[in-house]
Amino acid sequence: MRTLVASDLDRTLVYSAAALELDVPDARAPRLLCVEVYQGRPLSYLTEAAAALLAELAAHPGALFVPTTTRTREQYRRVRLPGPPPRYAICANGGHLLVDGETDHDWHAAVRRALAADCAPLEEVRAHLRRGADPAWLLKEREAESLFAYLVVDRSLLPETWMKELAAWAAPRGWTVSLQGRKLYAVPRPLTKSAAVAELVRRTGAGQVLAAGDSLLDADLLLAADRAWRPGHGELAAGGWTAPHVTPLASRGVRSGEEILGAFLGGLPPAGGTVGGPGPVPG
């Protein structure tokens, strides 16, 4: 049985220029590999060392690497990760399960039914966001895959009290709120990465799950995994969030991708071994 390795992408494995957090002189900075271009410009990066580790992980016979992201399908398809293309990917925070790059429509229909039964409609939430957002700090308002909404904001001007009030309004309506970089997400509570990962475990018979992520929207994924890691930056680190089987890493920025991928590889059973067998796990 293989190990399913479910990893968030942005600020976990791949990083924008603004999120690199390189604290060394330029001459000692790691070499970077661009893995995403948007409107003709480079957008997201890995270190070359992380790229080599990811290619090794993706090709490992004992691992099933599954990118697990809040990105829409269109945003995910812009990313060109090293190694063979992943057989499976989870997009829109679990709303879409891709198999060989194509949407699994049965899974998506099941997600839609769950959201309709348990959550306030998306348009109600978007209307509330538009009413309450201040043009002084609101840059953009968007919806993603007709599943959830997000705002692009100026973090320096966003009042902390507004976030708390929004979370209090959203909770009884079945929605949760997450602030990641400049994006403030409002997401239906049943729309989770862990539910999509559980479906893949059912389909593939994976013997264990390893996971990594940095934001509140990754917490359910990390809790559902057998072993998990979070970087030293991001929403979870800022709140000191952890769990007994979750390793908080000290590294921040793009270097965290290297440490997380090394931990994934160390968490795989040895060649010819079984899941749960001996073997060092970094971190």
Side-chain angles (χ1 to χ4, degrees):
M1 290 186 292
R2 288 191 294 175
T3 295
L4 193 152
V5 180
S7 182
D8 176 48
L9 292 181
D10 294 283
R11 291 173 58 87
T12 299
L13 294 188
V14 306
Y15 292 78
S16 68
L20 293 176
E21 295 196 41
L22 294 173
D23 57 358
V24 296
D26 290 348
R28 294 175 52 201
R31 288 167 58 93
L32 300 174
L33 174 68
C34 178
V35 293
E36 180 183 13
V37 173
Y38 181 57
Q39 295 182 342
R41 297 182 179 182
L43 188 62
S44 299
Y45 304 86
L46 297 164
T47 67
E48 286 191 347
L53 291 170
L54 181 52
E56 180 182 351
L57 176 67
H60 195 291
L64 179 64
F65 172 62
V66 181
T68 306
T69 180
T70 305
R71 285 177 176 241
T72 65
R73 290 169 293 172
E74 179 183 356
Q75 292 166 339
Y76 167 70
R77 287 168 177 147
R78 294 199 306 253
V79 180
R80 296 292 182 263
L81 297 172
R87 173 80 196 281
Y88 299 103
I90 293 165
C91 296
N93 214 64
H96 284 285
L97 178 59
L98 304 187
V99 182
D100 293 326
E102 300 299 324
T103 296
D104 184 313
H105 294 289
D106 289 340
W107 171 256
H108 182 63
V111 169
R112 291 279 184 191
R113 289 193 295 270
L115 301 191
D118 297 333
C119 305
L122 172 62
E123 280 310 312
E124 178 183 341
V125 175
R126 291 189 72 187
H128 183 82
L129 291 173
R130 287 191 290 263
R131 283 194 304 269
D134 188 333
W137 48 258
L138 177 64
L139 303 178
K140 297 177 184 176
E141 186 271 336
R142 296 286 187 270
E143 59 85 20
E145 302 269 19
S146 298
L147 290 168
F148 60 91
Y150 65 92
L151 308 179
V152 182
V153 303
D154 183 333
R155 284 284 294 265
S156 66
L157 299 177
L158 177 68
E160 186 177 340
T161 54
W162 194 85
M163 274 284 299
K164 292 179 179 178
E165 291 167 1
L166 175 61
W169 179 88
R173 291 165 174 82
W175 287 67
T176 189
V177 177
S178 172
L179 183 61
Q180 304 175 38
R182 298 191 310 151
K183 289 185 177 180
L184 190 158
Y185 291 92
V187 178
R189 193 175 295 119
L191 187 67
T192 63
K193 296 178 178 181
S194 60
V197 166
E199 172 64 11
L200 286 182
V201 169
R202 184 190 70 79
R203 294 186 188 190
T204 64
Q208 70 168 343
V209 175
L210 307 180
D214 71 293
S215 80
L216 184 62
L217 296 179
D218 297 311
D220 68 284
L221 171 66
L222 305 189
L223 288 173
D226 296 288
R227 297 204 63 181
W229 293 263
R230 67 154 174 83
H233 60 257
E235 211 174 14
L236 296 180
W241 183 93
T242 190
H245 65 287
V246 177
T247 300
L249 304 177
S251 57
R252 298 175 56 88
V254 71
R255 291 284 197 187
S256 297
E258 297 176 13
E259 192 169 2
I260 289 166
L261 288 162
F264 284 155
L265 286 165
L268 299 176
T274 58
V275 168
V281 179

